[in-house]
């Protein structure tokens, strides 16, 4: 759907990725829809910034970060969001998911929120360090340091379990 | 978008494989629900200029407080006490204590704070020069930029704050600035003297700053012609509030600004083992339910003239007036 309106163009070019972002951080599709709506509503209020936005997805994810945080802080209902470990992991599980994937998601839900968020941005949203830095408000260099630490914490969260997938790969390095 | 390689024990490919979302299953922007969402969002009316200004008024005041408080923190950073014993931390700690042990010196701090609220940007920027000798201090504050809203509210306060000179000598505060050329002086009770000394003296905050838990050596560089080693530390304010981390407990409890974000602290140590520069870059985020506010600040402090500053003296011809409790401040505990 072609449109000359910059906001329409932003919406059309980013909608699936933003839906994916929201679903990765919520317990069910309804909550995800709420997050998506709030992200775009906030983006609409700030549409005068669109011309200066270099990476629209990173900008939207940055808005999403605040939306998810605000929902978590502001409303008991949103305890179902990321941070409520079991519910998130359970809801996000596909019937066909391998056990390793479930194990990793369980571990991801037990580490500090900010570590988990950084790992999601890099691994699931596919952001570069620089783009993740744009979302989280720090330098690419800082992202590198934080990412290393986050992966160490994820590794520690996985270590008590039996045969997590990373252990074999780590042993080959 | 691609991710950069990063050596660690957990493989990112395992994480990618654990992604609970399959892109092929996701709705498209042309789906009816998405089209309806776009229509709903586009029907939202924008805030009026008055609403935006009210938002700024509420937000940039605490931002200004944060900026001012960080000035103190950065000055105080000279004598922080890292809480672990890694080599880099130990080196930086020793280098800071070299500065702390100085009888006199000068700390020059430049700062910038940029904030965005309701899509409206504003900034504050300036330079502070703090000179210390023994228990006496001289501070010159030069503000290049104040948030417009503060200027509007303060009816000339921007001019007043544009260049303020303060001396703290033997329990008396002397000040002049802006349109006021003459010095004024206030003789303070000892309780305030102690408070100010604890806040302003770069050598006395060893007990209050305990946040650095990770520091690593970045490499060699040159500052003002001096070869230095660059260290970097990340202070994660998402995990701890400023107060919990030992930083700015008073500010954290008084302002409605959450401290989510990160401080990146760059420290530069000379070959002689002396800390000569600290750069702090960080972000803060507000937690209000409907709108988000972010602020980015950058503070750079350079230490010079250690043990080479002349005694700081009271201005001539100024008669201190006694401090009257309740007139300017409330007595602590009242």
């Amino acid at each position: 759907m072609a449109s000359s309106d910059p906001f329409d163009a932003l919406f059309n070019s980013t909608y699936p990725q933003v839906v994916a972002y929201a679903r990765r951080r919520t317990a069910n599709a309804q909550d995800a829809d709420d997050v998506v709506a709030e992200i775009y509503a906030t983006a609409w209020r700030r549409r005068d910034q669109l011309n200066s936005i270099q990476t629209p997805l990173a900008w939207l994810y940055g808005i999403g970060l605040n939306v998810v945080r605000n929902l978590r802080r502001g409303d008991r209902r949103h305890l179902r969001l990321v941070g409520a470990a079991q519910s998130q992991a359970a809801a996000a599980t596909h019937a066909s998911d391998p056990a390793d994937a479930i194990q990793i998601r369980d571990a991801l839900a037990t580490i500090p929120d900010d570590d988990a968020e950084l790992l999601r941005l890099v691994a699931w949203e596919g952001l570069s360090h620089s783009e993740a830095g744009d979302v989280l408000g720090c330098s690419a260099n800082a992202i590198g340091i934080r990412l290393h630490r986050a992966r160490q914490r994820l590794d520690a969260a996985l270590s008590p379990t039996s045969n997590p997938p990373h252990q074999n790969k780590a042993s080959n390095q | 978008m691609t991710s950069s390689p990063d050596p660690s024990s957990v493989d990112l490919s395992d994480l990618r494989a654990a992604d609970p979302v399959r892109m092929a299953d996701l709705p498209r922007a042309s789906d009816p629900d998405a089209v309806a969402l776009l229509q709903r969002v586009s029907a939202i009316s924008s805030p009026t200029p008055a609403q935006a200004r009210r938002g700024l008024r509420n937000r940039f005041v605490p931002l200004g407080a944060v900026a001012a408080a960080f000035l103190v923190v950065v000055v105080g950073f000279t004598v922080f006490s890292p809480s672990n014993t890694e080599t880099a931390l130990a080196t930086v700690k020793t280098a800071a204590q070299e500065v702390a042990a100085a009888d006199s010196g000068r700390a020059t701090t430049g700062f910038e704070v940029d904030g965005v609220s309701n899509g409206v940007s504003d900034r504050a920027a300036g330079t502070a020069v703090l000179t210390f000798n023994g228990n006496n201090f001289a501070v010159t504050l030069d503000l290049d930029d104040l948030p417009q809203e503060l200027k509007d509210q303060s009816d000339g306060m921007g001019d007043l704050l544009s260049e303020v000179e303060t001396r703290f000598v033997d329990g008396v505060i002397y000040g002049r600035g802006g349109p006021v050329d003459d010095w004024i002086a206030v003789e303070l009770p000892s309780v305030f003297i102690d408070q100010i000394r604890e806040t302003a003296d770069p050598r006395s905050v060893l007990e209050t700053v305990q946040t650095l838990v990770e520091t690593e050596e970045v490499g060699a560089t040159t500052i003002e012609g001096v070869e230095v080693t660059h260290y970097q530390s990340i202070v994660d304010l998402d995990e701890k509030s400023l107060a919990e981390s030992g930083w700015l407990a008073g500010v954290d409890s008084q302002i409605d600004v959450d401290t989510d974000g990160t401080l990146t602290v760059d420290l530069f140590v000379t070959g002689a083992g002396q800390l000569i520069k600290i750069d702090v870059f960080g972000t803060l985020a507000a937690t209000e339910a409907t709108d988000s506010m972010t602020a980015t600040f950058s503070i750079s402090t350079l230490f010079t003239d250690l043990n080479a500053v002349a005694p700081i003296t009271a201005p001539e011809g100024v008669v201190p007036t006694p401090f009257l409790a309740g007139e300017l401040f409330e007595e602590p505990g009242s």
Side-chain angles (χ1 to χ4, degrees):
Chain A
M1 186 169 61
S3 171
S4 58
D5 182 272
F7 186 83
D8 286 3
L10 171 78
F11 184 91
N12 292 326
S13 64
T14 59
Y15 180 73
Q17 289 93 332
V18 171
V19 171
Y21 173 92
R23 289 191 180 178
R24 289 170 179 135
R25 289 157 180 80
T26 52
N28 56 54
Q30 180 59 50
D31 284 347
D33 288 347
D34 290 347
V35 168
V36 171
E38 187 59 33
I39 288 173
Y40 281 116
T42 303
W44 168 259
R45 287 195 292 267
R46 301 177 188 174
R47 62 192 181 279
D48 58 333
Q49 299 176 17
L50 281 177
N51 288 337
S52 61
I53 300 299
Q54 306 255 335
T55 51
L57 265 177
W59 183 63
L60 291 171
Y61 294 156
I63 293 172
L65 186 69
N66 287 319
V67 169
V68 172
R69 282 177 175 168
N70 287 338
L71 290 177
R72 284 176 52 203
R73 289 169 174 144
D75 191 334
R76 283 279 176 192
R77 180 175 73 87
H78 293 284
L79 287 177
R80 287 173 293 169
L81 290 162
V82 170
Q86 286 77 14
S87 63
Q88 188 244 0
T93 299
H94 292 287
S96 59
D97 275 345
D100 286 349
I102 298 170
Q103 205 171 44
I104 288 175
R105 284 202 292 269
D106 284 344
L108 198 59
T110 64
I111 65 175
D113 284 351
D114 298 307
D115 290 335
E117 179 61 21
L118 177 56
L119 290 169
R120 289 187 205 103
L121 287 172
V122 173
W124 293 354
E125 265 65 53
L127 300 190
S128 67
H129 289 193
S130 174
E131 290 163 340
D134 289 344
V135 175
L136 299 175
C138 56
S139 67
N141 188 32
I143 287 294
I145 296 169
R146 292 176 64 177
L147 185 61
H148 180 74
R149 184 180 58 193
R151 287 163 67 175
Q152 286 179 324
R153 287 180 176 154
L154 181 64
D155 191 39
L158 283 165
S159 61
T161 62
S162 59
N163 299 319
H166 67 281
Q167 287 189 340
N168 293 333
K169 294 182 180 181
S171 67
N172 293 333
Q173 289 173 351
Chain B
M1 292 180 178
T2 58
S3 57
S4 304
D6 191 298
S8 181
S9 56
V10 178
D11 196 315
L12 280 179
S13 65
D14 292 325
L15 270 168
R16 292 191 189 101
D19 187 350
V21 169
R22 292 167 186 167
M23 293 304 289
D25 297 339
L26 293 172
R28 292 174 296 179
S30 57
D31 288 356
D33 285 350
V35 172
L37 171 62
L38 178 58
Q39 289 173 341
R40 286 202 311 275
V41 166
S42 300
I44 296 172
S45 60
S46 301
T48 65
Q51 287 171 327
R53 287 170 66 81
R54 275 198 298 275
L56 273 177
R57 183 183 306 134
N58 292 335
R59 290 167 177 81
F60 275 107
V61 169
L63 270 183
V66 169
F70 268 105
L71 271 178
V72 174
V73 166
V74 169
V75 170
F77 220 128
T78 52
V79 284
F80 57 76
S81 176
S83 61
N84 73 19
T85 56
E86 293 175 15
T87 305
L89 270 177
T91 301
V92 171
K93 177 181 176 182
T94 302
Q97 287 172 336
E98 285 288 314
V99 178
D103 292 327
S104 66
R106 181 170 288 109
T108 304
T109 298
F111 70 97
E112 293 181 19
V113 180
D114 291 281
V116 178
S117 177
N118 282 343
V120 180
S121 301
D122 213 334
R123 72 192 302 271
T127 303
V129 179
L130 187 150
T131 305
F132 61 92
N133 187 309
N135 287 328
N136 297 330
F137 308 93
V139 183
T140 301
L141 178 63
D142 191 357
L143 293 177
D144 301 327
D145 219 338
L146 266 179
Q148 186 59 46
E149 197 71 22
L150 278 185
K151 293 177 186 172
D152 293 345
Q153 288 181 56
S154 56
D155 294 329
M157 185 66 102
D159 292 335
L160 182 63
L161 294 176
S162 62
E163 190 170 336
V164 175
E165 189 176 357
T166 305
R167 293 185 201 173
F168 180 84
V169 182
D170 299 332
V172 177
I173 284 189
Y174 303 86
R176 67 175 177 182
V180 181
D181 290 331
D182 298 331
W183 286 93
I184 58 172
V186 178
E187 200 168 45
L188 293 174
S190 59
V191 63
F192 287 118
I193 294 172
D194 292 341
Q195 284 184 348
I196 291 170
R197 186 169 292 148
E198 287 177 9
T199 303
D201 189 341
R203 299 157 295 176
S204 66
V205 294
L206 188 61
E207 303 84 7
T208 61
V209 181
Q210 305 167 11
T211 60
L212 290 190
V213 295
E214 294 177 354
T215 298
E216 54 182 48
E217 184 175 330
V218 176
T221 185
T222 302
I223 292 177
E224 307 247 322
V226 178
E227 290 187 4
V228 295
T229 304
H230 176 193
Y231 297 88
Q232 187 175 69
S233 180
I234 307 294
V235 180
D236 192 342
L237 296 176
D238 296 344
E239 294 183 3
K240 292 182 177 180
S241 68
L242 287 173
E244 289 168 339
S245 68
W247 289 39
L248 299 177
V251 172
D252 199 47
S253 64
Q254 290 174 24
I255 63 175
D256 185 24
V257 172
D258 189 34
T259 52
D260 281 2
T262 302
L263 300 183
T264 301
V265 184
D266 292 292
L267 309 107
F268 302 88
V269 177
T270 66
Q274 196 171 71
L275 182 65
I276 67 164
K277 191 178 183 215
I278 302 173
D279 292 341
V280 181
F281 172 81
T283 58
L284 296 175
T287 58
E288 292 175 47
T290 53
D291 296 308
S292 64
M293 179 214 63
T294 60
T296 300
F297 58 89
S298 174
I299 306 170
S300 179
T301 300
L302 181 68
F303 302 99
T304 56
D305 303 324
L306 293 179
N307 296 312
V309 167
I312 296 165
T313 58
E316 291 184 358
V318 182
V319 179
T321 56
F323 170 82
L324 298 176
E327 192 168 88
L328 296 176
F329 311 97
E330 286 188 359
E331 289 272 17
S334 65

